[in-house]
Amino acid sequence: RGINVRFDLYGYGSESELKFLKNKINELKLEEHVSVKNFTNPIKILISSDLLILASLKYEAFGIALIDSMALGIPVLGSNIGGIKEVLSFSKESLFEKGNYYDLADKIEYIILNPEISYKRGVKGRKKFINDFNGVKSINLYKKELNNKTWKN
């Protein structure tokens, strides 16, 4: 599409999956733009990121990487499945159809070409994190329930 981007892919996979991925990158001559990296410190990786994409094809129970990115104000895109869909329910425009690479490419292009939208989505995600995923609500709910519980031996 003529947009100069760099994709660093992190995650876990079998040896055969990683080999397939690296071969596909080479076959498509994308080595300058796409690399497969060892998964290390996720916060360090996220801090240097402009966008997080969670492109799961199989069920994803929660997507902690989304929450971490939202906490840092990094815009996110995710497959419209399982827990990803639930975490991103506040931002339908951040969801793409599982396996629909054209939909994903359109959404990436939109974010790249519209930095003000990217910024607003990062802010929106950060607010969602603060309001719903920071743990304080859960801790207070548990405290309340534990304080109200009549313990029996």
Side-chain angles (χ1 to χ4, degrees), residues 6-69:
R6 173 97 192 135
F7 289 98
D8 293 327
L9 304 175
Y10 294 89
Y12 300 104
S14 69
E15 230 177 275
S16 63
E17 290 170 326
L18 291 174
K19 184 177 180 181
F20 172 81
L21 187 57
K22 288 178 182 180
N23 286 339
K24 187 56 85 173
I25 292 167
N26 292 333
E27 176 188 321
L28 297 172
K29 300 184 182 351
L30 294 174
E31 302 92 337
E32 277 187 45
H33 302 283
V34 181
S35 65
V36 178
K37 305 260 187 170
N38 290 329
F39 193 74
T40 57
N41 180 337
I43 301 302
K44 196 178 215 181
I45 294 165
L46 289 174
I47 287 172
S48 65
S49 299
D50 298 314
L51 173 67
L52 177 106
I53 303 166
L54 192 52
S56 296
L57 293 173
K58 298 177 183 171
Y59 185 80
E60 188 82 36
F62 185 66
I64 193 71
L66 293 172
I67 304 300
D68 290 341
S69 297

Side-chain angles (χ1 to χ4, degrees), residues 50-53 66 69-78 88 90-96 103-104 106-112 114-129:
D50 298 314
L51 173 67
L52 177 106
I53 303 166
L66 293 172
S69 297
M70 290 163 52
L72 295 168
I74 297 166
V76 296
L77 296 173
L88 296 180
F90 73 99
S91 181
K92 300 287 187 201
E93 66 276 4
S94 297
L95 294 167
F96 58 89
D103 187 24
L104 174 56
D106 289 344
K107 291 189 185 299
I108 293 170
E109 182 178 48
Y110 184 75
I111 289 287
I112 290 169
N114 295 283
E116 70 286 347
I117 299 293
S118 176
Y119 174 78
K120 286 178 182 177
R121 287 195 190 171
V123 169
K124 189 176 178 182
R126 173 103 174 110
K127 286 179 182 174
K128 179 68 173 174
F129 168 80

